Amino acid sequence: MNSIKQKAIAILEKTVLKAGTVLDVRFWEPATFVEIDVHLPETDMRQWNASVQHMKCKVAPATYRDYTPACWDAGTHTCTLFINTSHQGAGSKWAGSLQKGDTIEYLGISGTSHKPLPENQWVFIGDNSSIGHFLALQQLATPGIEISGAIALPPQHHRQFAEYLSLPVTIVNASEKGGSTTLTHWLQQQRYSNAAIYIAGHIPTSVTLRSQAKQNRNIEGRVKVQGFWD
Ligand SMILES: Cc1cc2nc3c(=O)[nH]c(=O)nc-3n(C[C@H](O)[C@H](O)[C@H](O)COP(=O)(O)OP(=O)(O)OC[C@H]3O[C@@H](n4cnc5c(N)ncnc54)[C@H](O)[C@@H]3O)c2cc1C
């Protein structure tokens, strides 16, 4: 990028970027997944009830990635990001380098297509990049809503997921990108009537799961997809 363009972007960013502080960082073992607690004093989290949110984080010069703020507390302006750092990418590198006390910058926070639906059975399906997203959706569930589903994770993270998080879903092996094989196999065996089926994460896997859910006569319900990466 030429220096005039860089300067123009820097001036523009100065007027729109908001700042937050990293309060804590917890890597899972192996360190291909990280939980990052952040303090966002400029954000009013009381507005987050209409849908799961996403935050456009600055991960490198003029480079932005979306991450899902989960486990938020509107009173203290704090939340947690759950980020897959298993691959080579600007976002992965940024998340893997953050330390307690660091400043993060973000362009803004806005809603996704995943909103709380009136069905009393919610089904969550995705890979580990969607963990924060589903924790956020769980936070929006009113009492009486029954949550189930499946998350594809690398085998080394199964125990940590079950120990650290309280998300009542089945853990399946992420055998390849997005856990497509195991998630489609799992979905084939399910029966639902009047369920809200939320699918998130790897885009090609999400598309496959959506058409599988729509074609399966044992699955009745609305299917909502939020693609993340491909
Ligand atoms: C609304 C929304 C919310 C999101 N929330 C989250 C979140 O909470 N947590 C999270 O981890 N991600 C989330 N994502 C995805 C995130 O924005 C990035 O797309 C992702 O982190 C990849 O960015 P990157 O710069 O690291 O890699 P890129 O430079 O985009 O990609 C580099 C390579 O890595 C591969 N890759 C990318 N992501 C993964 C992955 N998860 N597993 C394996 N390989 C991968 C790509 O296929 C590509 O080959 C969200 C995306 C959206 C649209």
Side-chain angles (χ1 to χ4, degrees), residues 179-208:
S180 178
T181 309
T182 43
L183 287 174
T184 49
H185 179 70
W186 175 86
L187 186 58
Q188 248 163 31
Q189 298 164 327
Q190 308 307 309
R191 285 176 174 267
Y192 298 114
S193 64
N194 195 29
I197 299 169
Y198 297 96
I199 299 170
H202 184 230
I203 294 166
T205 300
S206 301
V207 171
T208 304

Side-chain angles (χ1 to χ4, degrees), residues 161-181:
F161 177 89
E163 259 178 34
Y164 302 160
L165 306 177
S166 182
L167 200 55
V169 294
T170 302
I171 304 168
V172 300
N173 261 333
S175 41
E176 74 291 283
K177 259 189 173 182
S180 178
T181 309

Side-chain angles (χ1 to χ4, degrees), residues 36 57-60 67 81 83 89-98 104:
I36 302 162
C57 298
K58 183 176 179 183
V59 299
Y67 294 109
L81 308 178
I83 302 182
S92 175
K93 197 171 163 200
W94 170 80
S97 71
L98 287 175
I104 62 165

